[in-house]
Amino acid sequence: MVFESKAREPASLGGPKESTAARAVRRLIAQIEFGRITVVLPSGGHVQHSGTGAGPSATLVLRRWRAIRRLIGQGDLGFAEAYIVGDWSSPDLAALLELAARNIAALDNKISGFWPVRLLNRARHLLRANSKPGSRRNIAFHYDLGNDFYQCWLDQSMTYSSALYTDPEQTLEAAQDAKLSRIEDLLNLRGGEHVLEIGCGWGALAVKLARAGARVTGITLSSEQLAFARQRVRKEELADKVELELIDYRDVRGTYDRIVSIEMLEAVGEAYWPVYFKTLRERLSPGGIAALQVITIDEARFEDYRRTPDFIQRHIFPGGMLPTKAVIAGQARAAGLTLVSTQSFGDDYAKTLVEWRKRFLAAWPKIEAMGFPERFRRLWEYYLCYCEAGFRAGIIDVGFYVLREADANPGV
């Protein structure tokens, strides 16, 4: 590992404050093992470092030394917040975040933040627990930003979860339709089944399943989503086949031939995972099938992740918590369910996020006119790049998980 000085640093770098911060930067990037980084200092100087392993090449432009103080004191959450307020930038934000993700094991002890800060962040996260009132607040925080906002950059189906690219040349619209079709296949519909959709979003899947001959009950905690989805059902003349309700999954009664839940488990919260899987088991009719699409976190990262709330939990999905693949299998087993098949497609989520980001940035003038400030643009750009980086680095993944009751006949 070597440092390469690509530009002579101005005399101001010799000042006590700047030289101390510059040394901190050098010590930090010296931990990088995979890829290459160039840091542009506030003074105009450049510092570079190359790891011994292959990885992304990225540039960090420091506009204020405060960004480094936030990183050291508040960890990666502080660094994210420094980006949101403009303390640093990058010509390729996704590449920089992927570089950090691929080197997270080496960087962890340098960017974990001071323990009082970690404790405070943990306390804030716990206060956003997904009790029934808490879940309504947490869901509204993200999904009730307005249907007009989401229509600016989602595909026409308003599907806000990973697409499934069955062809590298597919459009986002085609890939989202392929994903919905795959879920229909996993549910093994034969006609006339009653399907419960936990977290029905804006109604795209409910409409598709109803067209396939199912009767669908969809539930959500977002009043904005509910209004849009109900309008969609009426427009498609499917009101006799689709019923949509504003209700918590814990309050659902009755049994269903099929249950589907797309990227909703992530919003349940660790304390409520047993309740969620117990609900699946209790609401599933004998011989029924439950199909989940879930974002998971790598097993090796889970313990650190569950102790220290990250940027997503603080600013995007309050109360959220990603499970691991082993957690899904274990929670299902404990609830009396059997995991019968899985299919991972994390690379497709990275592609989906790239397309969302392109559309979000292209639509920004329209979004800004709705009253969203520049700080919101930087927040969401960071969010989309942060998630893309996680999928590319393999820290997070997404997959389908098909469940049956443990004693069910697999031939049904």
Side-chain angles (χ1 to χ4, degrees), residues 177-226:
D177 186 63
K179 188 273 294 294
L180 297 179
S181 294
R182 178 58 178 154
I183 293 169
E184 181 183 334
D185 291 343
L186 292 173
L187 290 172
N188 191 25
L189 299 177
R190 299 176 181 179
E193 290 89 353
H194 192 182
V195 180
L196 170 65
E197 184 179 8
I198 301 177
C200 64
W202 285 276
L205 181 59
V207 166
K208 189 173 187 68
L209 297 181
R211 286 174 176 165
R215 183 162 56 96
V216 182
T217 296
I219 64 171
T220 180
L221 289 179
S222 167
S223 57
E224 288 281 320
Q225 286 184 332
L226 181 65

Side-chain angles (χ1 to χ4, degrees), residues 106-136:
L107 291 171
D108 242 358
N109 65 333
K110 298 291 184 182
I111 61 172
S112 59
F114 299 145
W115 73 263
V117 176
R118 296 198 304 271
L119 187 61
L120 177 60
N121 287 334
R122 180 65 180 164
R124 285 172 171 166
H125 181 64
L126 292 174
L127 288 173
R128 290 168 142 183
N130 286 294
S131 61
K132 290 181 184 179
S135 290
R136 284 185 180 267

Side-chain angles (χ1 to χ4, degrees), residues 28-29 40 85 105 107 159 165 211 308 316 328 358:
L28 180 63
I29 66 176
V40 180
V85 299
L107 291 171
T159 302
Y165 285 85
R211 286 174 176 165
T308 308
I316 305 297
I328 294 173
K358 287 178 181 177

Side-chain angles (χ1 to χ4, degrees), residues 308-330:
T308 308
D310 68 355
F311 162 76
I312 297 293
Q313 293 165 311
R314 177 68 179 277
H315 289 288
I316 305 297
F317 294 108
M321 181 75 175
L322 301 183
T324 65
K325 295 174 183 178
V327 162
I328 294 173

Side-chain angles (χ1 to χ4, degrees), residues 76-288:
D76 58 346
L77 177 57
F79 198 57
E81 292 171 348
Y83 177 83
I84 294 166
V85 299
D87 286 349
W88 64 272
S89 63
S90 175
D92 189 340
L93 179 58
L96 180 66
L97 294 177
E98 183 186 349
L99 179 77
R102 291 189 181 276
N103 288 279
I104 191 63
L107 291 171
D108 242 358
N109 65 333
K110 298 291 184 182
I111 61 172
S112 59
F114 299 145
W115 73 263
V117 176
R118 296 198 304 271
L119 187 61
L120 177 60
N121 287 334
R122 180 65 180 164
R124 285 172 171 166
H125 181 64
L126 292 174
L127 288 173
R128 290 168 142 183
N130 286 294
S131 61
K132 290 181 184 179
S135 290
R136 284 185 180 267
R137 288 192 299 269
N138 291 338
I139 292 299
F141 178 87
H142 187 86
Y143 292 98
D144 287 353
L145 288 170
N147 295 328
D148 290 344
F149 164 69
Y150 286 103
Q151 281 183 291
C152 284
W153 55 275
L154 291 177
D155 72 294
Q156 290 183 350
S157 74
M158 292 286 280
T159 302
Y160 188 28
S161 56
S162 180
L164 182 66
Y165 285 85
T166 56
D167 184 314
E169 301 304 316
Q170 272 181 322
T171 62
L172 176 63
E173 284 74 12
Q176 289 291 17
D177 186 63
K179 188 273 294 294
L180 297 179
S181 294
R182 178 58 178 154
I183 293 169
E184 181 183 334
D185 291 343
L186 292 173
L187 290 172
N188 191 25
L189 299 177
R190 299 176 181 179
E193 290 89 353
H194 192 182
V195 180
L196 170 65
E197 184 179 8
I198 301 177
C200 64
W202 285 276
L205 181 59
V207 166
K208 189 173 187 68
L209 297 181
R211 286 174 176 165
R215 183 162 56 96
V216 182
T217 296
I219 64 171
T220 180
L221 289 179
S222 167
S223 57
E224 288 281 320
Q225 286 184 332
L226 181 65
F228 186 99
R230 281 177 169 172
Q231 183 179 20
R232 170 181 247 163
V233 168
R234 287 194 296 270
K235 183 178 179 181
E236 297 290 336
E237 298 182 349
L238 291 169
D240 59 329
K241 292 185 176 182
V242 180
E243 181 180 4
L244 304 174
E245 301 179 55
L246 191 72
I247 185 175
D248 191 285
Y249 70 94
R250 289 161 285 198
D251 292 328
V252 175
R253 296 293 177 262
T255 57
Y256 300 82
D257 305 303
R258 303 289 187 268
I259 299 176
V260 62
S261 188
I262 307 305
E263 294 184 20
M264 189 274 179
L265 178 56
E266 304 86 333
V268 167
E270 183 177 4
Y272 296 94
W273 287 341
V275 178
Y276 176 85
F277 281 92
K278 180 183 178 184
T279 299
L280 294 181
R281 177 64 184 84
E282 291 178 345
R283 300 293 147 242
L284 198 60
S285 298

Side-chain angles (χ1 to χ4, degrees), residues 371-411:
F372 292 98
E374 173 65 15
R375 177 188 173 99
F376 181 86
R377 182 193 67 79
R378 295 179 68 85
L379 171 71
W380 271 67
E381 184 178 11
Y382 193 94
Y383 153 52
L384 296 170
C385 288
Y386 182 89
C387 293
E388 177 192 339
F391 284 108
R392 293 199 186 282
I395 289 178
I396 51 178
D397 199 357
V398 68
F400 297 128
Y401 298 84
V402 178
L403 307 169
R404 293 179 184 267
E405 58 182 319
D407 56 351
N409 181 352

